[in-house]
């Protein structure tokens, strides 16, 4: 199948949208000519009732595709911490409560993990491109790393200040955005998704 000419982004998270746009332009740019449109502001929030990243990405992609009449790309993502049995995982955005801020979520993660010696964690993104009711494309990206003891860095968003990817001396929030975008779970998922068309 040919890549659709236009795809609407299903994410209401502006940080994710910026990263997706940047990765597509700089890393996949010469191969992927599709125009990415932002999620229309008038669309209501979509309840994320699924039990997995895939379920939630499917809910978001199909809802936005139906509402706009265009193929839609959703990103469901989060951080899974080994010593917390994979939590917060699919509940990363509401870890400290339904309308918790990034700072609240990150603080709760540090409190729950405390001084635990096992700091292992991974960021996960599952992307779903919903083309029509019979056609969807799925991709996953994961990056392993560790949770540092206190937040470091001011870039990025969400849990970036507490996540140091394997093989690096900096957290995601200490990296320039282009450095994160070269290695992130989001980049890996996007490359794997668009490879299906190349
Ligand atoms: P949409 O559903 O509208 O896309 P959202 O922010 O609600 O936006 P999710 O439901 O996928 O997105 O929740 C993702 C959570 O994981 C949220 O708390 C983010 O802050 C966090 N997260 C995801 N990717 C991240 C990244 O690259 N760096 C830091 N935190 C991230």
């Amino acid at each position: 199948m040919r890549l659709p000419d236009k795809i609407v982004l299903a994410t209401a998270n502006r940080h994710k949208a910026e990263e997706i746009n940047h990765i597509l332009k700089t890393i996949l740019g010469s191969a992927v000519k599709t125009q990415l449109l932002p999620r229309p502001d008038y669309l209501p929030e979509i309840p994320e009732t699924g039990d997995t990243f895939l379920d939630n990405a499917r809910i978001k992609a199909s809802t936005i595709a139906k509402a706009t009449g265009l193929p839609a790309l959703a990103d469901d993502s989060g951080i899974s911490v080994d010593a917390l049995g994979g939590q917060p995982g699919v509940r990363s955005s509401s870890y400290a409560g339904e309308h918790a801020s990034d700072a609240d979520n990150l603080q709760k993660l540090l409190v729950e993990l405390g001084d635990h010696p096992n700091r292992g964690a991974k960021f996960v993104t599952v992307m779903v491109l919903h083309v029509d009711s019979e056609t969807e494309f799925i991709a996953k990206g994961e990056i392993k790393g560790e949770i540092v003891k206190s937040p470091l860095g001011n870039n990025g968003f969400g849990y970036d200040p507490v996540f140091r990817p394997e093989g690096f001396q900096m957290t995601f929030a200490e990296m320039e955005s282009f450095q994160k975008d070269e290695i992130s779970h989001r980049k890996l998922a996007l490359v794997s998704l668009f490879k299906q068309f190349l």
Side-chain angles (χ1 to χ4, degrees), residues 64-109:
I64 298 295
K66 278 176 204 141
T68 59
L70 286 169
L73 174 64
D75 163 323
D76 200 63
S77 43
I79 193 162
S80 292
V81 178
D82 299 344
L84 300 177
Q87 295 297 313
V90 71
R91 299 282 161 250
S92 290
S93 65
S94 54
Y95 192 39
E98 209 36 61
H99 294 288
S101 67
D102 281 359
D104 295 337
N105 286 331
L106 175 157
Q107 208 46 50
K108 174 163 164 126
L109 183 65

Side-chain angles (χ1 to χ4, degrees), residues 85-181:
Q87 295 297 313
V90 71
R91 299 282 161 250
S92 290
S93 65
S94 54
Y95 192 39
E98 209 36 61
H99 294 288
S101 67
D102 281 359
D104 295 337
N105 286 331
L106 175 157
Q107 208 46 50
K108 174 163 164 126
L109 183 65
L110 289 178
V111 169
E112 293 291 326
L113 193 56
D115 284 333
H116 202 293
N118 177 2
R119 317 290 301 178
K122 64 181 177 184
F123 263 124
V124 180
T125 291
V126 172
M127 295 220 174
V128 169
L129 173 60
H130 179 108
V131 178
D132 58 46
S133 58
E134 269 136 49
T135 325
E136 68 171 15
F137 294 85
I138 299 168
K140 185 173 185 178
E142 285 189 5
I143 180 165
K144 287 189 177 158
E146 59 179 15
I147 304 297
V148 297
K149 292 247 160 92
S150 50
L152 292 168
N154 298 309
N155 299 329
F157 69 101
Y159 297 90
D160 281 345
V162 293
F163 182 80
R164 184 192 286 142
E166 225 168 65
F168 291 82
Q169 302 304 319
M170 288 181 282
T171 66
F172 266 167
E174 291 178 288
M175 294 181 176
E176 296 298 331
S177 59
F178 78 88
Q179 290 175 294
K180 177 186 173 189
D181 289 345

Side-chain angles (χ1 to χ4, degrees), residues 9-25:
L9 274 182
T11 182
N13 180 322
R14 73 176 173 84
H15 302 283
K16 283 189 189 179
E18 275 170 21
E19 289 188 4
I20 292 168
N21 274 296
H22 183 254
I23 292 164
L24 275 183
K25 211 188 289 167

